């Protein structure tokens, strides 16, 4: 795969930036010409390049400065509890930027490649402000590590939904919690037709980013049409990833399992409740069905934001938080958005053989709520027979309120009260001997990680295998959002926590050292949004969990969700 060399940045480009309306004053200042120069002096930042023009290629010469943008209208409730709104929940102030970051500490010389992180970084359009964390238009952040140096950039994904919103200054597609306002009854009827055809659903690929086995990099969300290919070097939006099969359906899991040899995902079937388990080979766009799971309870399939695999099996979770057709039709959000909690419908875990598509176990389990599975593996007896599957997830104690806690108003209004609901590492044990029930228990005492738990990663070489370590975000309370980075040791049942007061860290992403033999031999990458409005890239040692390097951005970044690693060839 093509991997560009470091950009030539001898002629640093400092120019006024294109700014979206409604940028907050403090952030706009952070981007003014004057403050950038000060930043450069203070941090001895050489080669800082600020790139503005939205869709044009990177300028090769210094363009004439454009007139300063008019002051933006104020965002609502900018300050809460006497403080500034946290930069983690503030829209990115410009569509793109690139520059070299000054590194404090030492980036390991083996760490050569690109870390990409995707997330909803733009939460308003015109003077309309989104409601939920998951509504924001996708912003991809890139950290390009090369021989101990670090070039960073970010860019908005040019989805149809984002482009239409910019053009019309209003939302035009159905986002996670937002629905475009119908002008009149006739257009409402048209809207319903569009909903069933999928035409009105968003393609705002803001959830994650994956590198396929063939090198293509795809940003994803839960709508299938929101699969968008980007260029990992320029962050250009290349175009839609079109699935060439005729499997149909409108939605899929936001977290496919992607390795060098395959892409596995789940397609929920809302008509005949169940899931198709599908596989796609590198170099193709065609998903092939491995098998189907019929739901055992409820009027609709459970939400499958993610799912785990073992070496031989795909695990299909059936969570009692289920998709809800009526809620999809509603113009105003319901307390659980497009979902409904059906405790009476029970919860199940299904285990499908990857090669035959046969279901080898389907057990009832205690009620659970999870976004993210961490990993799964097979348990063997002394004769090497697989007796059970263990599957771990970030489990919200079967409490759906976490979804509402992720409303922007809640995230923006932290006043020192401890309002983050408790979470744990939920460990499922699914017997393969035909017994009807599985177990769900905490894998370690949740107090080890402050009873907050989400946004996990593992050493990818341990995918589907017995593993000892995971990295995730935990909590140092009081807080309203996970605010620590935590290394989980499942053998010792201990956690090691990293914390920076007031900071919001994004998913700790593990990159293994090439040639490593220990599971935790590698680094953990996270991007931190600081309480003072700043932000930095952070590298922790995967084994000691001590900081090894940090590099400050010249601006604070909004929170982001999930990342991937594109190694240098
Ligand atoms: C950002 C994140 O983690 C989740 C995003 C989920 C989205 C955008 C879900 C969108 C949906 C629709 C627009 C309609 C159909 C249902 C559903 C997949 C929830
Ligand atoms: C950020 C998050 C939950 C945090 C709660 O503790 C969930 C994100 C889900 C989508 O990727
Ligand atoms: Fe996710």
């Amino acid at each position: 795969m093509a991997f560009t060399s470091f950009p030539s940045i001898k002629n640093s480009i400092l120019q006024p930036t294109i700014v979206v309306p409604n940028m907050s004053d403090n952030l706009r200042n952070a981007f003014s010409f004057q403050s950038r120069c000060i930043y450069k002096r203070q941090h001895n930042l050489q080669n800082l390049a600020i790139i503005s023009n939205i869709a044009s290629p990177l300028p090769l010469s210094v363009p004439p400065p454009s007139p300063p943008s008019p002051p933006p209208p104020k965002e609502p409730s900018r300050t809460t509890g006497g403080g500034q709104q946290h930069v983690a929940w503030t829209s990115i102030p410009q569509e793109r930027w690139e520059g070299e970051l000054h590194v404090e500490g030492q980036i390991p010389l083996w760490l050569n490649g690109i870390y990409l992180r995707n997330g909803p970084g733009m939460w308003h359009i015109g003077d309309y402000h989104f409601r939920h964390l998951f509504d924001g238009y996708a912003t991809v952040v890139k950290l390009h590590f090369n021989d101990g140096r670090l070039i960073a950039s970010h860019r908005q994904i040019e989805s149809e939904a984002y482009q239409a919103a910019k053009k019309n200054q209003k939302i035009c597609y159905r986002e996670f919690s937002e629905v475009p306002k119908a002008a009149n009854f006739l257009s409402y009827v048209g809207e319903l037709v569009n909903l069933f055809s999928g035409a009105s659903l968003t393609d705002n690929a803001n959830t994650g980013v994956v590198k396929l086995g063939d090198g293509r990099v795809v940003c994803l969300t839960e709508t299938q049409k929101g699969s968008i290919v980007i260029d990992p070097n320029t962050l250009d939006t290349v175009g839609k990833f079109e699935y060439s099969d005729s499997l149909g359906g409108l939605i899929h899991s936001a977290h496919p399992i992607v390795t060098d040899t395959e892409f596995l995902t789940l397609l929920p079937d809302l008509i005949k409740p169940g899931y198709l388990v599908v596989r796609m080979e590198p170099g193709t766009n065609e998903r092939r069905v491995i098998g189907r799971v019929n739901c055992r309870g409820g009027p609709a399939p459970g939400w499958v934001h993610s799912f785990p695999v073992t070496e031989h099996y795909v695990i299909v979770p059936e969570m009692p938080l289920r998709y809800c057709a009526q809620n999809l039709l509603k113009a105003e959000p319901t307390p659980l958005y497009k979902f409904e909690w059906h405790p009476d419908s029970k919860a199940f875990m299904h285990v499908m053989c990857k090669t035959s598509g046969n279901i080898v176990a389907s057990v009832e389990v205690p009620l659970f709520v999870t976004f993210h599975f961490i990993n799964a593996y097979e348990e063997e007896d002394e004769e090497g027979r697989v007796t059970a599957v263990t599957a771990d997830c970030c489990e919200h104690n079967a409490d759906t309120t976490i979804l509402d806690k992720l409303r922007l108003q809640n995230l923006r209004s932290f006043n020192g009260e401890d309002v983050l609901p408790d979470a744990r590492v939920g460990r499922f044990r699914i017997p393969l001997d035909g017994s009807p029930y599985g177990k769900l228990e905490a894998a370690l005492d949740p107090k080890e990680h402050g009873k907050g738990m989400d946004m996990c990663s593992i050493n990818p070489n341990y995918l589907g295998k017995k593993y000892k370590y995971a990295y995730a975000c935990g909590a140092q309370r009081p807080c309203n959002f996970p605010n620590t980075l935590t290394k989980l040791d499942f053998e010792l049942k201990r956690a090691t926590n990293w914390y920076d007061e007031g900071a919001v860290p994004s998913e700790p992403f593990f990159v293994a050292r090439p040639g490593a033999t220990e599971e935790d031999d590698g680094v953990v990458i996270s991007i931190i949004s600081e309480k003072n409005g700043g932000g930095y890239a952070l590298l922790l040692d995967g084994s000691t969990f001590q900081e090894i390097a940090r590099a400050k951005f010249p601006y604070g970044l909004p929170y982001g969700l999930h990342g991937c690693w594109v190694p240098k060839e």
Side-chain angles (χ1 to χ4, degrees), residues 89 133-134 207 222 254-255 303 305 371-372 396 402 406 420-421 423 452-455 473 480-482 559-562:
W89 320 121
L133 173 64
F134 296 166
T207 300
E222 304 213 351
H255 291 278
W303 185 14
H305 183 74
F371 298 104
H372 298 122
H396 294 270
I402 185 63
L406 301 179
L420 179 72
M453 178 49 47
D454 219 301
M455 307 306 283
C473 291
N480 69 342
F481 192 79
Y559 185 68
L561 294 171
H562 303 288

Side-chain angles (χ1 to χ4, degrees), residues 488-563:
L488 304 165
D489 181 328
F490 294 126
E491 268 173 34
L492 297 178
K493 298 195 182 297
R494 299 302 299 263
T496 314
N497 298 296
W498 175 97
Y499 174 68
D500 178 5
E501 204 248 307
V504 180
S506 69
E507 175 185 78
F509 185 88
F510 181 85
V511 181
R513 187 176 65 78
T517 51
E518 295 298 315
E519 185 181 336
D520 56 353
D521 184 354
V523 296
V524 171
I525 305 173
S526 177
I527 297 174
I528 316 293
S529 310
E530 290 179 284
K531 73 166 174 194
N532 66 4
Y536 57 95
L538 178 71
L539 279 190
L540 301 178
D541 182 291
S543 162
T544 62
F545 218 49
Q546 295 296 305
E547 175 171 336
I548 50 182
R550 72 167 67 188
K552 206 164 163 45
F553 277 79
Y555 55 101
L557 283 164
Y559 185 68
L561 294 171
H562 303 288

